[in-house]
Amino acid sequence: MKLKIGIFDSGIGGFTILKSLLETRHDVEVYYLADTQRSPYGNKKFQEIRSIAEEICCFFGDKNLDALLIACNTTNACALDILKNNLRIPCFDLINSVSEIVNKPIIGVLATRATVSSSYYKNAISSKNKNIKIFQQECPEFVSEIEKQELDFNKLNSLSDLYLSPLLKNNIQELILGCSHYPLIYNFLRNKVDSNIKIIDPSESSINKFNKHFPIPRTYRYESISYRNVKFFVTSEKENFLKKLNSWLGINKEIRLVNLRSNV
């Protein structure tokens, strides 16, 4: 019996958590929703994000999910309560999961404008350890750049310098990639910071919590990552998303177009 899992993001950011999941187990059937029509979420207002979360719940409501993996930090920060209260299934979020593993005195967080404004990262980490200093940096242009079919490395280079500079001046010891899109350019960011600074992808801690809650069967034998049991849904631009699927994950799959407002 496969576990039915929902994953959602505004676009390709959720690939990071999808890949982290499928690198550990295959006994899952995944419904991946990308709200491409309204990407990026990070520059939207708090109430709009909460309204979108209600629509996401309607989409997943009839899928008989066993759990939801929240792949969008912005929705995590602004509407986690809506997802939990409406779906009433285990919801594994990024921010609370990663807040349990940070342990250095000075932490930096790269995130969207909405996530930074919510202070959810700061509050979650401080609730575990009040002695940790947390410096947040909003990155309003990162997601749009990462979502492009062809990355503009000159633009990413200048944006990275702009966003990292304030954090590095505060001598951070760990750097949280507080948007699921950012691990897609992990190697690029890794070359920008000192090797002594640990870069944290929250998807890994979220999947660890998921696997503790739903233990991997003892008879399970991992072979290689497979996307055979993943269904992809988008709210616009099917062909464009298929190209990104091929570019980032190296696969071709059927993409289903859905309308979240009417869930058809």
Side-chain angles (χ1 to χ4, degrees):
M1 181 84 60
K2 292 187 182 298
L3 295 168
K4 287 190 175 183
I5 309 300
I7 296 177
F8 77 89
D9 185 56
S10 64
I12 64 174
F15 290 177
T16 57
I17 199 163
L18 174 64
K19 196 172 181 181
S20 291
L21 172 67
L22 298 180
E23 282 175 343
T24 63
R25 63 197 302 164
H26 287 170
D27 62 330
V28 291
E29 180 181 346
V30 180
Y31 294 83
Y32 184 107
L33 172 64
D35 189 9
T36 47
Q37 189 174 38
R38 292 179 289 198
S39 179
Y41 283 0
N43 297 330
K44 298 188 185 303
K45 293 182 179 179
F46 179 81
Q47 197 53 52
E48 184 179 0
I49 295 164
R50 291 180 67 80
S51 295
I52 291 172
E54 295 273 6
E55 295 171 2
I56 289 168
C57 291
C58 289
F59 171 80
F60 283 124
D62 63 354
K63 302 297 185 292
N64 298 314
L65 297 182
D66 293 296
L68 179 71
L69 293 173
I70 302 168
C72 174
N73 282 263
T74 299
T75 312
N76 187 160
C78 300
L80 179 60
D81 59 319
I82 289 176
L83 299 169
K84 286 183 173 180
N85 293 337
N86 281 271
L87 293 174
R88 298 189 178 280
I89 57 174
C91 294
F92 297 87
D93 76 302
L94 298 159
I95 302 177
N96 287 299
S97 298
V98 80
S99 71
E100 297 174 4
I101 67 165
V102 294
N103 52 27
K104 297 293 185 182
I106 309 175
I107 305 294
V109 180
L110 291 176
T112 67
R113 180 171 292 155
T115 299
V116 170
S117 297
S118 74
S119 292
Y120 201 112
Y121 262 105
K122 186 171 281 191
N123 294 336
I125 295 170
S126 296
S127 70
K128 310 284 191 308
N129 189 335
K130 290 186 171 19
N131 295 320
I132 293 180
K133 290 184 179 179
I134 304 138
F135 297 96
Q136 301 181 100
Q137 175 61 47
E138 60 182 51
C139 312
E141 294 186 65
F142 254 171
V143 170
S144 296
E145 287 299 318
I146 295 170
E147 282 281 348
K148 288 181 177 178
Q149 186 62 40
E150 292 187 14
L151 297 181
D152 182 342
F153 288 104
N154 288 329
K155 183 68 179 292
L156 282 173
N157 186 61
S158 61
L159 289 175
S160 298
D161 289 340
L162 177 67
Y163 299 150
L164 286 169
S165 180
L167 299 179
L168 297 178
K169 286 179 180 176
N170 284 298
N171 300 312
I172 60 169
Q173 296 161 296
E174 288 182 329
L175 175 64
I176 297 173
L177 302 182
C179 169
S180 58
H181 282 76
Y182 303 169
L184 294 173
I185 57 168
Y186 174 91
N187 291 334
F188 190 84
L189 295 171
R190 177 73 275 175
N191 291 329
K192 288 282 184 180
V193 301
D194 192 278
S195 60
N196 292 326
I197 299 174
K198 182 180 180 181
I199 299 181
I200 301 174
D201 173 2
S203 71
E204 295 175 6
S205 54
S206 178
I207 295 303
N208 286 338
K209 288 193 75 171
F210 173 83
N211 286 337
K212 286 179 181 177
H213 188 90
F214 296 101
I216 300 172
R218 291 183 180 180
T219 56
Y220 178 71
R221 206 180 277 179
Y222 182 82
E223 296 175 358
S224 61
I225 193 166
S226 170
Y227 297 93
R228 183 174 62 254
N229 294 316
V230 183
K231 296 177 181 177
F232 292 94
F233 302 84
V234 298
T235 54
S236 69
E237 301 180 346
K238 284 173 53 176
E239 293 75 15
N240 190 33
F241 190 82
L242 180 59
K243 290 177 182 177
K244 294 175 183 179
L245 204 62
N246 184 263
S247 177
W248 288 103
L249 301 181
I251 60 173
N252 288 296
K253 294 275 290 185
E254 179 186 358
I255 311 294
R256 297 170 174 86
L257 186 65
V258 295
N259 183 343
L260 292 186
R261 290 180 174 85
S262 60
N263 194 19
V264 295

